[in-house]
Amino acid sequence: MGQSRKALRTTAIGTVSVALLAGPAVGAAAGVAPAARTAGVQAQSAAPDVQFVDIEGDGGTVLKANVVTPADADGTRKYPVIVLPTSWGLPQIEYLAQAKQLADSGYVVVSYNVRGFWQSGGKIEVAGPPDIADVSKVIDWALANTPADPAKVGMAGMSYGAGICLLAAGHDKRIKAVAALSGWADLVESIYSRRTQHLQATAMLAGAGYLTGRPSEEFQRITADFFSTDVSKEPGLIAWGKKRSPLTYLDRINANGAAIMLGNAWGDTIFPPNQYADFYEKLTGPKRLEFRPGDHATAEGTGLFGLPNDTWTSAHRWLDHYLKGVDNGVEREQPVRLKSRSTGAYESYPDWKSVAATERKIDLDGTKKIHANIDSGADGGIIFLSSILDQFVKVPPMAWIPLLPRPFAAVWQSERYGSEQRVRGTTKLHTTVTGTKESGTLVAYLYDVGPLGLGKLVSNAPYTFHGETPGKPFTVDLELFSTAYDVPAGHRLALVVDTVDPLYIEHNPSGAQLTFSSSAADPSYLSVPLHEK
């Protein structure tokens, strides 16, 4: 089986390499001879030189990489250098189109396959210490073997590569600028938010890891613990996740002072936007935050093929200013840039707090009891598919609110709004819950409900509790995933809460019931962030 996977990886990487090198994304770089697989061989063309090399990573692990240098490199000058760690499960040719564009504009670019994947050595450490040490080894190699300027070192990457970029910024002071796209700052909050396992996202990642790489023993153990419902494993899971979270090293990242750009999608089902926004607010150096419609890596995905792409354009401008000193005005612009899911228009703000200028509270009056273990029909959709549909045709997951079965779904609705309501930021739920069991899971959904009762999903978030006394009320405070969505005039907002969603692992014992209540002393409410035109 291992030999079969190795053969598959080798065939696939060869096929994709030929396709990219022969295509317009790399152009004349296709003329690089086989001998160019070792450092120091220059292509005889006007295009940037592409070389495939082996780099010795931490502990002697061989990292497969490619290096792209400017066409005019002749050994007489130094260039800023960009290091690009690959995304989870993708080979080292992932960034060739972007690397060519960067080299065309005067960068040395080193893209490498992270350890444990494809043809690189080692095992999958999930952004563990060996992965971060590899970054420094790659920088060392670039400074020793290319015309790279040691004072102008930057990093960029998508997904797994983005997380590694941020972690490396807290461990290597040579890194001066970072563009981290569709990454994570808090791994625990990303895939284990409010003590709830993100089932589809983690299953996809684990499956891709086994297919394209070699999971470490630790990764195999953590995966097994994650998919179990054994609460005793929780401390170990959290400790493992924090060790791999840039947020844990915030003080070091701030002290090192790298200029950091963060980009993500509103509907990212792997790394939700909240954790990026929270991290952004805590950064003290030069920073920028951008959110666009879509799912994980879909906002910047077309840029990998060399096509025009807003996210990569912003990343290039960011790197140009903070590594090359280009006066492109990026440092004078309002640093928080959002694209509405509804209109596709861009909006800029001075900081994340300014996104939601006002808050509108919806009272959650009365007492509602629901039975657990049954999917009411309200759910967050399917990983990738649902948010991509929202991104391109503005069709998010939908539910017919009047027909949701009330024994399995608690429903509250606002009045109909006489004017458009521009939801911007993070909706917050505050309520009192009484369970019949000591553990349970609830999922909250915010819907835009039209005149006929059809609800379009605005946001959602899960919440799991353990160790509560059956029959004793407790308070729940839950932040739904941040978004930018316009509710049309004549529509209303609806909060729906049920106990089952295909996106998450639920912890409701058989026969469990949940009761939601509100009191004069502690009223339940939904706080919706709004921004006026």
Side-chain angles (χ1 to χ4, degrees), residues 172 286 317 344:
D172 194 317
R317 293 181 66 232

Side-chain angles (χ1 to χ4, degrees), residues 29-84:
V32 178
R37 291 181 179 276
T38 58
V41 179
Q42 299 293 318
Q44 300 301 313
S45 77
D49 173 34
V50 181
Q51 306 169 34
F52 289 85
V53 302
D54 291 348
I55 297 176
E56 185 176 298
D58 184 55
T61 296
V62 175
L63 304 174
K64 296 293 183 176
N66 58 67
V67 183
V68 188
T69 52
D72 61 355
D74 57 8
T76 63
R77 55 170 292 197
K78 297 288 186 180
Y79 298 86
V81 59
I82 304 291
V83 175
L84 300 166

Side-chain angles (χ1 to χ4, degrees), residues 88 190-191 197-207 226-227 268-272 383-384 502-504:
W88 185 271
S190 293
I191 61 175
Q197 296 101 317
H198 289 223
L199 174 61
Q200 290 185 20
T202 311
M204 187 278 294
L205 291 172
F226 183 89
F227 288 116
D268 195 320
T269 46
I270 297 179
F271 304 129
I383 186 174
F384 287 125
L503 289 174
Y504 313 113

Side-chain angles (χ1 to χ4, degrees), residues 227-244:
F227 288 116
S228 75
T229 55
D230 187 349
V231 181
S232 69
K233 304 293 186 182
E234 184 179 64
L237 290 171
I238 292 174
W240 179 88
K242 285 185 175 181
K243 190 174 185 178
R244 290 159 171 80

Side-chain angles (χ1 to χ4, degrees), residues 384-403:
F384 287 125
L385 176 61
S386 297
S387 291
I388 290 175
L389 286 173
D390 183 45
Q391 177 182 1
F392 292 108
V393 294
K394 294 182 174 57
V395 179
M398 292 183 282
W400 201 274
I401 305 303
L403 297 184

Side-chain angles (χ1 to χ4, degrees), residues 87-176:
S87 301
W88 185 271
L90 294 184
Q92 82 239 32
I93 44 78
E94 174 188 6
Y95 297 113
L96 274 180
Q98 284 300 317
K100 176 189 176 294
Q101 292 179 10
L102 288 165
D104 278 340
S105 63
Y107 292 96
V108 170
V109 186
V110 181
S111 177
Y112 72 96
N113 226 120
V114 291
R115 64 171 55 225
F117 285 100
W118 294 87
Q119 302 305 303
S120 284
K123 295 185 177 182
I124 299 173
E125 302 291 344
V126 196
D131 290 300
I132 309 312
D134 284 345
V135 173
S136 294
K137 290 287 189 179
V138 171
I139 294 173
D140 292 342
W141 185 93
L143 297 180
N145 294 278
T146 74
D149 187 337
K152 299 177 179 178
V153 177
M155 292 191 73
M158 292 169 47
S159 186
Y160 191 44
I164 290 176
C165 287
L166 292 175
L167 287 162
H171 290 79
D172 194 317
K173 295 181 179 180
R174 295 175 294 182
I175 299 169
K176 305 302 182 186

